Amino acid sequence: MVKRSGLVRTAVAGLTVCFGAGVTQVISSETAFAADTDNSKVEKFDKYKGHQVYEYTIQNKSGLKVSVLSQGGTLHGIYVPKGAHDKRNILMSFKHTKQYYDKNAASLYVGQQIGPVGNRIHNGKFKLDGKTVSVPTNENGNTLHSGNHGFNSVRWQGEVGTYEGNPAITLRHTFNSKYTGFPGDIQATTRYVVTDNNQVKVLMSAKSTKDTVFDPTIHAYFNLGQEKTIQNQELTMNSTQRLQLNKEKVPTGKLLANTGAYDFSKAKPLKEHLDPLMKTKEQGFDTMFKVSQGDNDQIAKLSDPKTDRSVTFLSQRNALVVYSGNAIDKKLQFESGPGRQHAAIALEPQTLPDAVNHPSFGDVSLKAGETKTKEITYQVDY
């Protein structure tokens, strides 16, 4: 269990209860505000559909701060400590919970936790243990980001404290099969951890009552600098191939070579990658790259030369989904200001999408009673 140090003060149904040092504190949608510690904080954020939403915040010794919302397990912010008068949150975020879900933003899944399976499942069907499984569809007859009742759709129970000696936020939720439409009741636990070497780790674990599938991700949008778009930021990837997609953006099973705009082997402004794609229907990237691991499981790096900020992406899985914010527009009012095309870039480590229908893409199975953990690490430098 995650433990909080110091005095914890919790109000429950109008009754104030004080606990001593070293207590375990769980804050859920039925539990009220708990007092701060030196490196962690729980606050009432706002209400969504009549329910209280909490903001959990942790920070390391150098002041790198991580903020997560109980609704959707949303990664609300990664705040760098430098630049008191600059934009410190390197993620796109909204001021109110409802903005994450309104009609203009819902299809973007800003910052949300995606699961049990990220990206698309063709026709919402796949074989599991020799039998055809059908799951709810929500986009052109396919299943996108696990349908409308995935990990991003619920209020998670949370606690702040430490994990392996580092400040941590732990979220838990049990997903009933009748709710998700996926096999098995899934006990999910997600930990957001910040280390003193400026790593933000996301550990997503699941245990199911039946054989099922599990390949979650975090749909975070990054803009590392002070400019309104990511055009002058640079992205490199350990990738030589990407998935071929059909007109519904579902993988065909074939791989294409990364040439031209899709070659991220050397650092150069994203503008040089985006400009050749502006005449296409997508006007940017919504692309699934096959990646390999470099040192310490590095798969990609996003950098902003003007602010000298960077995020290195570490993952043991074989894909990075890249979406360059092509559909972001001024209707979206982010905390940093009005949206615009290419205002941010979503970088989503996972297994190659639709692996449930392409066994060669990777194993996303989860056996009944087994616990699996998928990890994404953001190495933040500034």
Side-chain angles (χ1 to χ4, degrees), residues 141-157:
N142 302 304
T143 302
L144 174 62
H145 296 327
S146 297
N148 294 328
H149 295 118
F151 284 9
N152 66 309
S153 68
V154 303
R155 303 186 311 277
W156 292 69
Q157 290 187 333

Side-chain angles (χ1 to χ4, degrees), residues 206-208 210-214 364-368 370 372:
K207 181 179 180 180
S208 176
K210 294 182 180 180
D211 289 359
T212 191
V213 288
F214 181 61
V364 296
S365 65
L366 178 64
K367 294 294 184 182
E370 177 186 23
K372 279 191 175 181

Side-chain angles (χ1 to χ4, degrees), residues 13-247:
L15 175 66
T16 300
V17 184
C18 292
F19 301 92
V23 71
T24 297
Q25 175 59 32
V26 178
I27 306 299
S28 72
S29 57
E30 290 77 30
T31 309
F33 175 69
D36 301 354
T37 64
D38 291 339
N39 57 13
S40 62
K41 180 170 65 171
V42 185
E43 295 179 300
K44 291 180 178 179
F45 186 70
D46 65 3
K47 288 191 175 182
Y48 179 65
K49 293 186 175 181
H51 296 282
Q52 185 66 55
V53 176
Y54 291 92
E55 180 180 14
Y56 304 91
T57 305
I58 52 174
Q59 68 176 19
N60 66 6
K61 291 179 180 179
S62 63
L64 181 67
K65 187 167 66 173
V66 177
S67 168
V68 175
L69 302 182
S70 56
Q71 177 63 41
T74 302
L75 182 54
H76 182 64
I78 297 176
Y79 300 85
V80 295
K82 286 188 177 181
H85 302 291
D86 298 332
K87 182 177 77 68
R88 295 173 53 209
N89 188 0
I90 60 175
L91 301 182
M92 303 302 282
S93 61
F94 292 111
K95 187 175 181 180
H96 303 289
T97 303
K98 66 180 181 180
Q99 292 177 276
Y100 285 96
Y101 295 92
D102 73 18
K103 64 180 181 179
N104 296 319
S107 64
L108 296 174
Y109 299 88
V110 176
Q112 294 173 9
Q113 190 177 166
I114 303 299
V117 175
N119 217 271
R120 292 171 179 86
I121 297 175
H122 189 217
N123 291 334
K125 294 181 180 181
F126 55 93
K127 287 286 185 70
L128 184 67
D129 298 334
K131 298 179 180 179
T132 298
V133 174
S134 295
V135 294
T137 59
N138 62 332
E139 185 197 62
N140 301 320
N142 302 304
T143 302
L144 174 62
H145 296 327
S146 297
N148 294 328
H149 295 118
F151 284 9
N152 66 309
S153 68
V154 303
R155 303 186 311 277
W156 292 69
Q157 290 187 333
E159 56 187 341
V160 294
T162 60
Y163 178 73
E164 296 183 345
N166 298 299
I169 300 162
T170 301
L171 303 178
R172 294 184 175 89
H173 191 86
T174 297
F175 291 87
N176 188 285
S177 178
K178 291 181 180 179
Y179 177 77
T180 64
F182 280 74
D185 296 338
I186 298 174
Q187 295 179 10
T189 300
T190 298
R191 288 187 172 93
Y192 293 86
V193 182
V194 60
T195 70
D196 283 338
N197 61 348
N198 292 334
Q199 286 191 343
V200 178
K201 295 176 176 287
V202 187
L203 298 92
M204 297 165 282
S205 302
K207 181 179 180 180
S208 176
T209 58
K210 294 182 180 180
D211 289 359
T212 191
V213 288
F214 181 61
D215 190 49
T217 190
I218 302 296
H219 212 297
Y221 285 77
F222 292 83
N223 183 330
L224 305 185
Q226 306 300 322
E227 298 180 344
K228 300 297 184 181
T229 74
I230 41 87
Q231 297 262 2
N232 292 317
Q233 295 173 37
E234 298 174 351
L235 176 66
T236 55
M237 257 188 287
N238 295 336
S239 175
T240 59
Q241 294 177 303
R242 67 189 188 278
L243 292 181
Q244 182 188 67
L245 306 177
N246 67 15
K247 63 181 181 180

Side-chain angles (χ1 to χ4, degrees), residues 61 85 105 112 142-143 263 280 303 331 345 373 376:
K61 291 179 180 179
H85 302 291
Q112 294 173 9
N142 302 304
T143 302
D263 181 3
T280 67
S303 304
K331 293 178 183 178
I345 187 167
T373 300
I376 298 171

